[in-house]
Amino acid sequence: MEVNKIYNKLLNEFGEQGWWPIKGKYSPENSYPKNNKQRFEICTGAILTQNTSWKNVEKAIENLRRNKLFTKQAIKKINAKKLAKIIKSSGYHNQKAKKLKEFAEFNKEVNRENLLQIWGIGKETADSILCYAYSQPVFVVDAYTLRIFSRLGFQGNYDSTQELIMNNLDPKYYNEFHALLVKLGKDYCKKKPLCRECCLRDICKFF
DNA sequence: TACCAGGTCCTCG
DNA sequence: CGAGGACATGGT
């Protein structure tokens, strides 16, 4: 599987996407957090967007901002029921309120092993936090990644797919590659794919 | 209306 | 391990 080739085809087709809407919209230059508050906002977003469209998360983020809840201290202080109401639009709000509070209690060094011990933080969320909030060279695998690579012909799980990509792509492209895969997954490689118009059709087993 | 969305936890075999 | 269900709202 030629990961570089896939990356280049996607970049050529869609252009740079940017991978995190720190100031409300996606662009490569504002995807880097500049302070701890923005880092915490990314971590919060990474949890809220679990199995949920970003559109639903946006309102929750706005509510959190309005209520000045982008610090660990504030999340620790508010009770779970109130917090759930504030993030209601993001879905699974009771669980996610608990997850945010669990994360707020986290006080160890930020690394994958420690993040994975937090209730509510799985591999993708841990990797998102490391990659997007802490600029570490980690590729974030998600449902789109797995679907796209499986159709291309690589049948893998989270770990093997992540390994494939990290072994075959320059780390500086990890976050943009992920953004491009999301773009492809949303617009072309959907549940019901639009293979005829897909820029990867000439190298895809599924087509 | 029914299906889907940038997952994770828990249970069971 | 991996499959299957629970968790929930909003858009199309």
Side-chain angles (χ1 to χ4, degrees), chain A residues 44-90:
Chain A
T44 301
I47 290 169
L48 293 183
T49 198
Q50 290 173 357
N51 202 39
T52 302
S53 63
W54 186 256
K55 205 72 187 148
N56 287 10
V57 176
E58 275 178 336
K59 287 178 191 162
I61 296 267
E62 269 317 301
N63 282 341
L64 288 172
R65 195 191 313 283
R66 220 191 330 273
N67 288 278
K68 303 211 183 303
L69 288 170
F70 280 141
T71 65
K72 289 192 170 186
Q73 303 87 291
I75 294 291
K76 278 198 244 188
K77 232 169 115 185
I78 190 170
N79 78 52
K81 205 73 188 169
K82 272 187 188 167
L83 182 56
K85 192 166 286 182
I86 287 169
I87 62 171
K88 187 157 198 227
S89 71
S90 71

Side-chain angles (χ1 to χ4, degrees), chain A residues 3 31 42 70 107 135 138:
Chain A
V3 179
S31 289
I42 292 178
F70 280 141
N107 231 350
S135 304
V138 178

Side-chain angles (χ1 to χ4, degrees), chain A residues 10-46:
Chain A
L10 291 175
L11 183 62
N12 190 49
E13 176 76 8
F14 300 128
E16 287 194 320
Q17 301 294 304
W19 46 92
W20 204 272
I22 290 179
K23 290 172 187 162
K25 72 178 177 66
Y26 287 94
S27 82
E29 58 273 20
N30 77 6
S31 289
Y32 296 99
K34 294 181 181 51
N35 53 50
N36 279 327
K37 195 168 196 172
Q38 292 190 348
R39 255 185 285 283
F40 190 71
E41 179 177 338
I42 292 178
C43 297
T44 301

